[in-house]
Amino acid sequence: MERIILTADHSLMTEFRNISLFGFFSCSPVQYVPELFYDRLFAPLVPADNGNARYAQYGLRKVEASLIKAFGRKSVVVAHPRYLSYFADDASIIGLTVMDPLGIGPVTSSFAFGTGLTPYNRKKFMDLLKTIRKKIRCRVIAGGGGAWQLVDKDLVDHVLVGEFEKDGPEVIKDIMDGCNRKVFKLEPPEPEEIPPIVGPSINGLVEVSRGCPRKCNFCDPTTHRKRDIPIEQILKEVRLNARYGQKSAWLHAEDILLYRCESKNFEPNKDAVIELFKEVMKVKGVKSAGTTHCSLAGVVAAPEIIEKVTEITGKGWHGVQPGIETGSPKLIKKYMKNKPKPFSAEEWPEIVEEAISILNRYKWLPACTLILGLPGETEDDVLDTIRLVERLDRFHCVLAPLFYVPLGALRTKGKMFSIKSASPEHLRLIYECWKHNLREFSQGVWKGTSEMNPLFRIISSLLVKIGSREILRRLEKYLEKCAS
Ligand code: SF4
């Protein structure tokens, strides 16, 4: 029987030991972090059941659910990347989900500091392609958040750009019928066209909203149309994960504080967010819940949500990802005017400080992005950001300085930023962020592994400490070289 085989590379098929900070290891260069440590210590692969992945990347689970709806359960398999050969004989096509397959996304390229090193996410994707080409003879399709990187490359046969649920199954049928088109652009589905997952997801991730209405100019426009998933469907997915042993529910949204928000000024719907967490925590088997992203403006607009959600979930220190992007009100006004709402662009630096202080009070550890090299950025703009970063040094947070990649409404404007185009102020900003981060990583790994085997705790903390010192030393040398 012919089947559609879905899979992803190692960097997407790991739970990172349920420690979100370990996710950064996928952006680290293979030349610095030995593969044995990556594979065994920080990012062990999910377990396999007869060649199937027991837990899978959430996007892959959504594709699986849509394909099962269209072709039937027996036609689709979510294969464990280590056991692809189990399915070699009856594979009609292989579908891969990709996030940053070439390691050129903003986070990874900023980690590599433009040095041409190979990040793990690229290595693992290339390894997977090699295995597929060696063991299975069928066409390879790639989709997901990083599919755009493969459009001009000769690495896979077909690339699907956009959200899968609406047009995806029809496109897969066309490909199976012999269509040779390389790139397909998929239209976004309505909430009712998004089927619930039918297999458990990695880290118990469940989507609660898709898209973001703040519409920052540099952000991928496909994220702009916000759709909230009905609470019944969210709970259905949480229950499914819990049945498969996921004790934690990780709620995904671009901004959890905008769940079911109707306000044009982005005032959070407190009752809806609190009710969501309350209902999730009532699900049998769920012991804790967290979220992937929140906005800093939302935290300041409704700090009681953070307080209440912490009380409901009873969580200790845990991560969340908000965006700072810049300390310059001028750039906020120019490129992301909705980001500080319901506050003004002028208030942005104070909002950032206050939000991080609130999050820390309730033991939320924000991993914040900052963007370097936005078109038209001046020395004064970078100095504004440096001043903000210096003020944040007293808080617990990770500061990720990312290089600007032309996306969204700015796709045709400006060049991709690289370390080669960095000014002395940029270099200082990068250094300040990493000095802060490396201290945070050293302390964070000890805290984050508190429930783990003591030996693992000691080894990973030592490794991170030694590695952090080494990275800082190399960074100092590299920045000195750039500045001279
Ligand atoms: S707030 Fe974040 S997710 Fe939303 S548009 Fe801006 S950058 Fe994108």
Side-chain angles (χ1 to χ4, degrees):
M1 188 196 130
E2 292 225 311
R3 287 199 287 191
I4 303 164
I5 312 298
L6 302 174
T7 195
D9 69 62
H10 183 137
S11 69
L12 297 174
M13 289 294 229
T14 166
E15 300 206 283
F16 293 107
R17 295 192 180 274
N18 275 313
I19 299 171
S20 50
L21 274 182
F22 281 5
F24 283 105
F25 280 104
S26 287
C27 308
S28 63
V30 295
Q31 291 84 351
Y32 289 172
V33 179
E35 196 156 5
L36 189 75
F37 289 170
Y38 181 86
D39 288 356
R40 300 276 172 86
L41 207 55
F42 302 116
L45 274 164
V46 293
D49 297 319
N50 295 323
N52 295 272
R54 187 176 307 164
Y55 305 112
Q57 196 258 5
Y58 187 78
L60 206 59
R61 286 293 186 206
K62 281 290 182 198
V63 172
E64 177 194 26
S66 304
L67 290 175
I68 286 177
K69 208 169 131 198
F71 301 108
R73 189 173 270 276
K74 289 193 176 145
S75 312
V76 189
V77 150
V78 174
H80 191 284
R82 188 174 283 157
Y83 301 103
L84 283 178
S85 51
Y86 278 38
F87 309 101
D89 293 341
D90 50 8
S92 59
I93 49 168
I94 291 208
L96 308 179
T97 193
V98 294
M99 293 305 287
D100 189 6
L102 303 183
I104 55 170
V107 182
T108 316
S109 47
S110 315
F111 263 63
F113 302 115
T115 50
L117 300 169
T118 310
Y120 268 102
N121 45 21
R122 180 187 174 97
K123 176 173 193 310
K124 297 296 183 185
F125 176 69
M126 292 301 177
D127 287 351
L128 178 66
L129 278 188
K130 243 186 259 161
T131 311
I132 291 173
R133 298 294 183 207
K134 207 158 68 186
K135 296 188 173 163
I136 308 174
R137 281 176 168 263
C138 67
R139 282 193 276 177
V140 180
I141 307 170
W148 61 273
Q149 298 180 7
L150 303 174
V151 166
D152 302 327
K153 301 280 181 289
D154 220 5
L155 292 167
V156 295
D157 303 296
H158 307 275
V159 181
L160 313 190
V161 182
E163 299 173 34
F164 187 82
E165 292 91 342
K166 186 177 176 183
D167 308 331
E170 201 53 44
V171 168
I172 296 291
K173 191 174 173 304
D174 289 348
I175 292 173
M176 290 199 295
D177 288 345
C179 173
N180 279 324
R181 202 164 124 199
K182 168 96 188 265
V183 181
F184 295 84
K185 191 157 178 338
L186 309 180
E187 290 303 316
E190 296 302 324
E192 59 278 10
E193 291 173 306
I194 303 175
I197 56 172
V198 293
S201 62
I202 279 178
N203 296 121
L205 192 96
V206 165
E207 182 178 54
V208 304
S209 295
R210 191 176 290 187
C212 177
R214 292 192 191 260
K215 298 190 175 137
C216 301
N217 282 11
F218 57 85
C219 192
D220 194 328
T222 55
T223 66
H224 286 168
R225 220 181 112 227
K226 178 175 164 266
R227 285 138 294 161
D228 291 317
I229 309 297
I231 194 158
E232 301 73 37
Q233 175 151 328
I234 296 169
L235 294 175
K236 193 172 180 181
E237 295 192 350
V238 174
R239 277 187 217 111
L240 174 108
N241 278 330
R243 274 204 307 280
Y244 281 89
Q246 294 290 29
K247 294 190 177 74
S248 177
W250 203 24
L251 307 184
H252 172 68
E254 300 303 335
D255 180 358
I256 191 78
L257 300 173
L258 291 186
Y259 181 62
R260 286 179 48 209
C261 169
E262 304 287 334
S263 154
K264 288 208 165 42
N265 212 23
F266 302 103
E267 297 274 3
N269 180 342
K270 296 173 202 168
D271 294 343
V273 182
I274 292 169
E275 189 209 348
L276 173 67
F277 277 90
K278 260 190 193 153
E279 291 305 314
V280 164
M281 287 302 293
K282 280 186 201 159
V283 171
K284 195 173 160 209
V286 171
K287 302 271 181 271
S288 72
T291 185
T292 54
H293 300 86
C294 73
S295 61
L296 296 171
V299 170
V300 178
E304 56 274 47
I305 297 183
I306 307 300
E307 182 184 358
K308 203 77 195 144
V309 166
T310 309
E311 197 184 299
I312 295 165
T313 58
K315 258 180 119 66
W317 279 101
H318 66 284
V320 64
Q321 292 173 36
I324 295 176
E325 326 307 7
T326 175
S328 157
K330 188 193 93 194
L331 288 181
I332 289 281
K333 226 184 257 173
K334 192 168 173 190
Y335 292 127
M336 43 201 129
K337 62 180 187 338
N338 290 324
K339 204 165 189 89
K341 281 185 180 172
F343 306 100
S344 68
E346 285 72 22
E347 292 170 284
W348 182 241
E350 286 74 40
I351 292 165
V352 171
E353 258 188 280
E354 194 180 336
I356 295 180
S357 135
I358 294 168
L359 290 170
N360 278 188
R361 192 180 311 148
Y362 297 103
K363 298 191 173 167
W364 294 45
L365 175 73
C368 312
T369 50
L370 293 135
I371 301 178
L372 278 66
L374 276 163
E377 183 188 50
T378 63
E379 194 182 308
D380 283 343
D381 295 321
V382 187
L383 287 173
D384 280 344
T385 310
I386 292 175
R387 278 191 283 273
L388 177 59
V389 161
E390 284 170 347
R391 292 204 299 277
L392 295 179
D393 201 37
R394 66 200 161 101
F395 297 116
H396 284 300
C397 56
V398 174
L399 302 166
L402 307 184
F403 296 166
Y404 166 68
V405 176
L407 272 177
L410 296 177
R411 197 180 286 271
T412 51
K413 285 191 202 159
K415 282 200 309 210
M416 197 172 193
F417 185 81
S418 80
I419 198 78
K420 292 190 187 99
S421 34
S423 66
E425 289 74 28
H426 285 128
L427 298 179
R428 202 178 124 207
L429 176 56
I430 294 171
Y431 181 75
E432 289 301 327
C433 291
W434 278 99
K435 195 165 66 135
H436 172 93
N437 290 345
L438 297 175
R439 196 183 63 222
E440 197 66 64
F441 285 162
S442 302
Q443 297 170 358
V445 172
W446 185 249
K447 273 190 219 142
T449 52
S450 60
E451 286 165 21
M452 309 204 126
N453 170 318
L455 187 64
F456 171 77
R457 229 183 146 193
I458 292 168
I459 295 175
S460 52
S461 297
L462 264 176
L463 283 174
V464 170
K465 254 196 187 114
I466 296 167
S468 298
R469 270 196 213 129
E470 181 58 15
I471 292 172
L472 198 60
R473 196 184 65 79
R474 283 175 189 250
L475 186 59
E476 274 164 5
K477 259 174 88 180
Y478 182 71
L479 296 183
E480 264 168 31
K481 200 174 113 200
C482 288
S484 62

